[in-house]
Amino acid sequence: MKKTVILIAALLLHAAAAIAQTAYEPRFFTQYWEAGALDPARNRQWDAPAIYEDRLEYIPVDPAYVLYISEGDRSNSADYFQIHPQYNPDGTLTIKPIRKGHTVILFVDLGRTLPGTLEFEANPSAGVDIGFETGEAMQPKQKYTANVSPDGAKKKFRPQINHAGWAGMRYVWIRFENVAEPFTLYGLNGIYQVRPSRYIGNFECNDGMLNRIWEMCAYSAHAIMGQPDGNDPAPQSILQTLCMDRVDRHPWAGDSRVIQKAVEYVFGEYELIRRANERFVPVGVRPVPVQQTVIPYTLDWALAETDYFWVSGDSDYFVKRLDDILSMTKDFDPYLNPKKGWYFVDWDERVAEVAVQEKAAFFAKYIQVCREAAEVALILGNRAAADKLTAKADEYTAKWKESNPDWYEKYDIHALTNLVRGKMLEGDDLRRVYEKVYADRAQRCTGTPYFGFYILQALTQIGKQDKALEMIRDYWGTMIQAGATSTWEEWHPTIQHSVGALPPQFPRMAWSGLSLIQPSGAGPAQWLLSEIIGIQPESPGFRDVRIEPNMVDLQWAKGTAATPLGAVSAEWKTDGKTTELQFDAPRACRSVTVVLPQGKKYLIDSRKVTPDRVANGKAWFTMQASSKKITVLN
């Protein structure tokens, strides 16, 4: 076993070391995880899974930190410093009792919240009781017995996890009770259970925290791809929603919609996405079911299908799904077929128990489904379906505005965000919404990074990419400052949080325990590539590519997005006088359209050119796919 590095633990172990998290003064705690090395599988070059193949790989992960604890009360942090592990020259560890019947505890920090398990080899004698406690934060949340009983022979021990043998864990307490004589521990590793998906996508810029945010979000999405569902240990064609061992460890349609965006751009697992969406609503099922008792999640399923169409270009599949979406718009019509049940939108206190906010958010999402499905139907040549959906969206928007003249005073950030996404507001109304719920940096952050992604999309839609980037720093950045290695289920940047502690949880969720590897918060992995690097599909399946970066306050950025035709990369830099963008796109793409800030002189590969179009302070260049450099001089 590779000798574990013993690190200074005071910052992790003393709850008194509270960190004041604010949205305005980011601080960096790079000791939590090394940038570029968060995902142990990031640089692995596996053979790509065959179509319809679901498999998992198992990667040993050396602990980042181990402590050998003597007897005593673990709630007293001083107990963690009584005895440090003294490894033998061959890398083994001798577990020695102080007296007969002694209890020895090994405290293990795996360095990141890991989907999988922990194992070691040892030869304790019969009568030694081995138990495990695990936690995603430094508070034990689950207890497990060992998979086998000691008898003096060398055996491999791991926690007996009932739910398919795996869970999310970062910290593990291994208890050896009734130790009467020394025994040897031959190895101690976390086991990372992961789908062998390559990192096709990548992001890097001159802001180190943004790089870490992208890496955390990408890792969170990778950690749940194809994981087992329920008690079945076999890998599944799903985007698992969480790893924590609790009763709802299965895919949720609303969460999956956000996770899907990251998986598409970073890993290009289009076939997995198609099958995951089809598991929620199989083709031709009538009536289209409510997803996991959450009524809006069925709308999220429909929006996930339109998202999938744009990045995959899978026209044949969407032709089949269009009938299902049309049926869903009938069954879930908020006027003709209102449903009773749970209209969950976020755990944020501003929406909890306020049905008027949830219902308005649902209505706006319904309109968004109609408009996005209509756009795809028109692309596929189904004008009748497109006209029907567009007419309903227009009629219901007008009807809603007439019956809600006080919408500006009545609704808060959740309803207003969905109204923006549903294109129910325009012109001056968008400015008013921005001033009411987005202008204040703390107020624009809600209770979950899940809904935070929709706020990023709304800010982008109203042309506030700079504020969206600011929110990513404020929200996901402070999550990292508080010790996150993966996106959390709940967070707010104003929380006063002790490093290594479990973040406070909204009371409605107290039954389950908070998940610290909840990839529904992974949206920035896609947003940074699509909006800061600017890589987007100009036509379905990236047959035509659009690269329109938003440079905001950055000096340079580079990134790659996965597409069905191959990786699309772009790199730009600017100093205020000159802007350069280098791109590389597969020749299978028909064209690339690059949109850059307007200048006085333009060069493509050092040759002076004239833009195809100049308008609204931007210049458009459309060309055949290849590798080119465009320079704009002011």
Side-chain angles (χ1 to χ4, degrees):
M1 180 183 72
K2 180 180 178 181
K3 185 174 181 180
T4 304
V5 178
I6 304 300
L7 305 176
I8 296 174
L11 188 62
L12 283 173
L13 299 174
H14 290 278
I19 297 177
Q21 304 298 338
T22 72
Y24 311 104
E25 297 178 2
R27 289 187 286 172
F28 297 87
F29 294 90
T30 56
Q31 64 266 41
Y32 283 105
W33 43 275
E34 182 181 352
L38 181 60
D39 189 339
R42 184 169 181 180
N43 296 316
R44 299 257 176 154
Q45 295 298 314
W46 288 297
D47 293 334
I51 293 179
Y52 304 116
E53 178 187 19
D54 293 311
R55 77 176 196 264
L56 295 170
E57 298 286 342
Y58 303 93
I59 303 174
V61 176
D62 288 326
Y65 186 86
V66 175
L67 280 167
Y68 187 113
I69 308 172
S70 70
E71 57 191 4
D73 181 3
R74 284 177 302 154
S75 66
N76 181 355
S77 61
D79 290 338
Y80 284 79
F81 297 94
Q82 291 191 18
I83 303 176
H84 290 292
Q86 297 296 318
Y87 289 95
N88 302 318
D90 62 356
T92 61
L93 178 65
T94 300
I95 305 298
K96 299 179 180 179
I98 294 176
R99 61 179 180 275
K100 188 175 181 179
H102 178 220
T103 295
V104 175
I105 301 173
L106 287 183
F107 167 73
V108 182
D109 177 2
L110 296 172
R112 79 278 288 160
T113 306
L114 196 73
T117 188
L118 176 136
E119 69 178 20
F120 61 87
E121 288 186 292
N123 59 352
S125 59
V128 174
D129 292 327
I130 301 177
F132 299 84
E133 293 178 275
T134 67
E136 295 179 290
M138 277 194 59
Q139 298 171 23
K141 297 295 292 184
Q142 298 288 348
K143 293 184 177 182
Y144 302 104
T145 59
N147 60 322
V148 293
S149 298
D151 59 10
K154 183 179 178 182
K155 292 184 177 180
K156 186 171 290 186
F157 295 90
R158 62 171 61 191
Q160 184 64 46
I161 302 171
N162 293 328
H163 291 88
W166 71 286
M169 60 184 73
R170 174 172 178 178
Y171 303 100
V172 185
W173 293 259
I174 309 171
R175 295 180 60 90
F176 300 100
E177 297 185 357
N178 300 318
V179 180
E181 56 187 10
F183 64 89
T184 303
L185 190 150
Y186 294 90
L188 178 63
N189 294 105
I191 303 297
Y192 180 27
Q193 178 175 286
V194 63
R195 183 178 174 89
S197 301
R198 295 182 180 179
Y199 272 77
I200 300 171
N202 189 44
F203 173 85
E204 189 177 357
C205 70
N206 62 279
D207 184 333
M209 180 55 90
L210 288 179
N211 299 337
R212 294 165 69 83
I213 291 168
W214 185 91
E215 184 179 357
M216 177 180 71
C217 292
Y219 167 63
S220 300
H222 195 198
I224 51 75
M225 291 168 58
Q227 292 283 7
D229 186 7
N231 290 320
D232 184 351
Q236 303 286 319
S237 56
I238 58 173
L239 301 181
Q240 186 64 267
T241 298
L242 51 85
C243 296
M244 189 177 188
D245 192 5
R246 71 187 207 195
V247 298
D248 60 342
R249 195 173 73 179
H250 55 256
W252 291 77
D255 303 67
S256 290
R257 176 187 164 202
V258 180
I259 303 167
Q260 174 179 316
K261 305 284 281 187
V263 171
E264 289 164 345
Y265 261 66
V266 180
F267 302 100
E269 285 265 22
Y270 301 105
E271 183 60 34
L272 175 65
I273 295 296
R274 185 192 64 75
R275 289 188 289 141
N277 286 341
E278 195 165 345
R279 283 175 63 126
F280 286 121
V281 181
V283 174
V285 169
R286 299 291 184 274
V288 174
V290 173
Q291 293 298 308
Q292 293 101 19
T293 74
V294 186
I295 296 170
Y297 278 9
T298 302
L299 306 187
D300 283 306
W301 160 78
L303 291 167
E305 293 286 26
T306 59
D307 287 343
Y308 169 74
F309 171 76
W310 273 104
V311 295
S312 72
D314 192 343
S315 299
D316 292 340
Y317 176 69
F318 196 85
V319 166
K320 294 185 295 184
R321 299 316 337 230
L322 183 57
D323 286 340
D324 299 327
I325 292 175
L326 288 170
S327 178
M328 186 277 295
T329 59
K330 178 180 178 181
D331 294 342
F332 287 74
D333 189 304
Y335 284 128
L336 301 180
N337 293 304
K339 293 187 177 295
K340 294 182 180 180
W342 193 15
Y343 282 82
F344 170 79
V345 65
D346 189 10
W347 293 121
D348 191 81
E349 295 179 359
R350 285 168 288 183
V351 74
E353 309 297 348
V354 185
V356 65
Q357 302 292 332
E358 293 183 333
K359 291 295 181 67
F362 173 84
F363 184 91
K365 186 177 288 188
Y366 179 86
I367 299 300
Q368 183 183 355
V369 170
C370 291
R371 295 200 183 282
E372 293 195 8
E375 185 177 7
V376 175
L378 191 61
I379 291 172
L380 296 177
N382 191 336
R383 181 170 289 277
D387 290 346
K388 180 178 180 180
L389 290 164
T390 300
K392 176 175 281 193
D394 290 344
E395 176 191 351
Y396 282 13
T397 297
K399 187 174 181 179
W400 181 87
K401 287 183 175 180
E402 182 179 353
S403 59
N404 290 276
D406 58 344
W407 63 267
Y408 180 77
E409 290 77 21
K410 185 191 302 184
Y411 296 119
D412 211 323
I413 189 167
H414 298 86
L416 294 174
T417 295
N418 282 12
L419 289 169
V420 172
R421 296 293 295 134
K423 299 181 180 179
M424 297 177 64
L425 303 174
E426 56 187 14
D428 191 56
D429 285 342
L430 293 177
R431 180 193 61 77
R432 296 173 68 202
V433 168
Y434 173 78
E435 293 298 331
K436 179 175 182 179
V437 297
Y438 300 138
D440 183 272
R441 293 173 68 173
Q443 185 181 6
R444 74 169 74 116
C445 295
T446 68
T448 66
Y450 156 73
F451 194 81
F453 181 60
Y454 299 137
I455 296 174
L456 296 181
Q457 291 182 320
L459 286 168
T460 301
Q461 196 167 320
I462 61 179
K464 296 288 186 179
Q465 286 87 348
D466 57 334
K467 301 303 179 183
L469 188 64
E470 186 177 72
M471 179 181 170
I472 288 177
R473 291 179 172 122
D474 288 347
Y475 197 101
W476 284 265
T478 56
M479 200 183 302
I480 290 175
Q481 292 166 15
T485 60
S486 47
T487 54
W488 293 348
E489 184 172 4
E490 179 189 350
W491 180 244
H492 197 283
T494 59
I495 291 173
Q496 301 293 309
H497 183 71
S498 298
V499 174
L502 191 69
Q505 183 147 264
F506 192 64
R508 281 176 62 176
M509 285 286 288
W511 63 272
S512 62
L514 183 66
S515 174
L516 301 189
I517 184 164
Q518 184 91 348
S520 59
Q526 184 267 347
W527 190 91
L528 288 166
L529 290 173
S530 67
E531 297 300 329
I532 297 303
I533 306 302
I535 301 172
Q536 301 178 20
E538 183 79 351
S539 63
F542 291 89
R543 193 77 175 92
D544 300 284
V545 177
R546 181 187 186 94
I547 303 176
E548 184 176 358
N550 290 282
M551 298 164 186
V552 193
D553 59 357
L554 299 173
Q555 286 76 55
W556 63 268
K558 59 183 178 180
T560 301
T563 85
L565 302 178
V568 175
S569 300
E571 179 176 357
W572 58 259
K573 61 182 179 180
T574 183
D575 61 7
K577 297 181 180 179
T578 302
T579 299
E580 292 183 354
L581 184 143
Q582 173 85 38
F583 74 84
D584 186 76
R587 292 190 179 277
C589 299
R590 284 182 304 210
S591 68
V592 176
T593 297
V594 176
V595 184
L596 292 172
Q598 182 178 350
K600 297 179 179 178
K601 183 179 179 181
Y602 308 92
L603 307 172
I604 294 182
D605 292 339
S606 301
R607 291 167 42 205
K608 186 176 180 180
V609 298
T610 300
D612 298 293
R613 179 162 68 98
V614 175
N616 301 319
K618 294 186 176 183
W620 277 255
F621 308 84
T622 299
M623 62 210 82
Q624 290 184 335
S626 63
S627 179
K628 296 184 183 298
K629 183 171 77 171
I630 302 174
T631 304
V632 179
L633 303 172
N634 292 325

